[in-house]
Amino acid sequence: MSKKKQSDPAEAEQKAPETPSEEETAKAGAQEEQAAPADDWKAKYEELNDRYLRMAAEYDNFRKRSQREREQAYTDAVSRAVTALLPTYDNLERALKAETADAEYKKGVELTMTQLTDSLKGLNVTVIEASAGTTFDPNFHNAVMHVEDEALGESVIAEVFQQGFQIGDKVIRHAMVKVAN
């Protein structure tokens, strides 16, 4: 018969590598998982919060940009329409300055001019201040002539040839003027 070799438990412990049992591994993993989820959730929260804040800022920028573009498109459309009407305004202005014997004709031209200026005001179109004696501003006035006049100061408008118009800060047409000195 064969002899079975009996090992003693101390020898078995020495020979076997020290590996934790499945229970010990599960317990250690559970303890790490309890500590790790708090850190994981905090990191995930920070990441999601950062993404949310960035997305909210991008949306706000998009909303503001879209609003500016809509306003700009409206201003451009109004300025194009007004530019098409300005020759009519100029002709009505010339007709008002012309001498006529027919009072009804003059009254009709005045009423037409009043209606046109009211329509322009309704579109927030304003006449650029360019009367004689005001200071010349190249942002709003177009100097087409220069005259030496000691009675007027330097860079002062002497005469207005054509009215200028603007809508808000945008100049639709510069005022055509004669500048002194």
Side-chain angles (χ1 to χ4, degrees):
M1 286 210 265
S2 69
K3 285 187 181 177
K4 283 188 175 178
K5 186 176 179 182
Q6 285 192 346
S7 61
D8 104 50
E11 268 184 27
E13 283 182 22
Q14 288 176 356
K15 290 180 184 177
E18 292 193 25
T19 55
S21 68
E22 288 180 21
E23 280 183 30
E24 290 173 350
T25 306
K27 285 181 184 178
Q31 288 173 353
E32 286 178 13
E33 285 178 15
Q34 287 174 357
D39 293 336
D40 286 346
W41 284 106
K42 190 172 185 178
K44 286 181 183 178
Y45 168 77
E46 293 296 328
E47 178 187 344
L48 289 175
N49 190 38
D50 183 55
R51 285 176 44 196
Y52 167 75
L53 291 174
R54 289 178 188 275
M55 185 175 60
E58 285 178 17
Y59 175 73
D60 190 42
N61 290 340
F62 169 75
R63 186 181 53 79
K64 289 177 183 176
R65 184 175 57 250
S66 296
Q67 180 67 25
R68 278 192 310 268
E69 288 172 356
R70 278 193 303 274
E71 290 172 359
Q72 184 65 37
Y74 173 78
T75 303
D76 289 345
V78 169
S79 68
R80 287 183 63 162
V82 169
T83 301
L85 292 174
L86 289 182
T88 305
Y89 180 90
D90 295 335
N91 289 332
L92 286 172
E93 197 172 47
R94 285 186 202 103
L96 286 174
K97 290 179 183 176
E99 294 296 323
T100 182
D102 191 1
E104 294 299 316
Y105 172 77
K106 186 162 182 90
K107 186 176 180 179
V109 172
E110 288 173 352
L111 289 174
T112 305
M113 182 64 144
T114 303
Q115 187 177 17
L116 181 59
T117 55
D118 289 344
S119 297
L120 292 175
K121 285 179 187 173
L123 295 171
N124 295 324
V125 176
T126 58
V127 175
I128 294 173
E129 180 59 38
S131 59
T134 59
T135 306
F136 175 76
D137 184 358
N139 296 320
F140 299 109
H141 308 120
N142 182 17
V144 293
M145 289 181 71
H146 180 77
V147 64
E148 293 292 330
D149 190 354
E150 296 301 323
L152 296 172
E154 191 167 328
S155 297
V156 174
I157 296 173
E159 186 179 349
V160 180
F161 297 120
Q162 193 176 49
Q163 285 293 338
F165 295 90
Q166 68 182 15
I167 181 168
D169 292 337
K170 182 179 181 175
V171 175
I172 297 172
R173 179 175 78 182
H174 290 80
M176 196 180 305
V177 296
K178 181 193 306 185
V179 180
N181 301 336

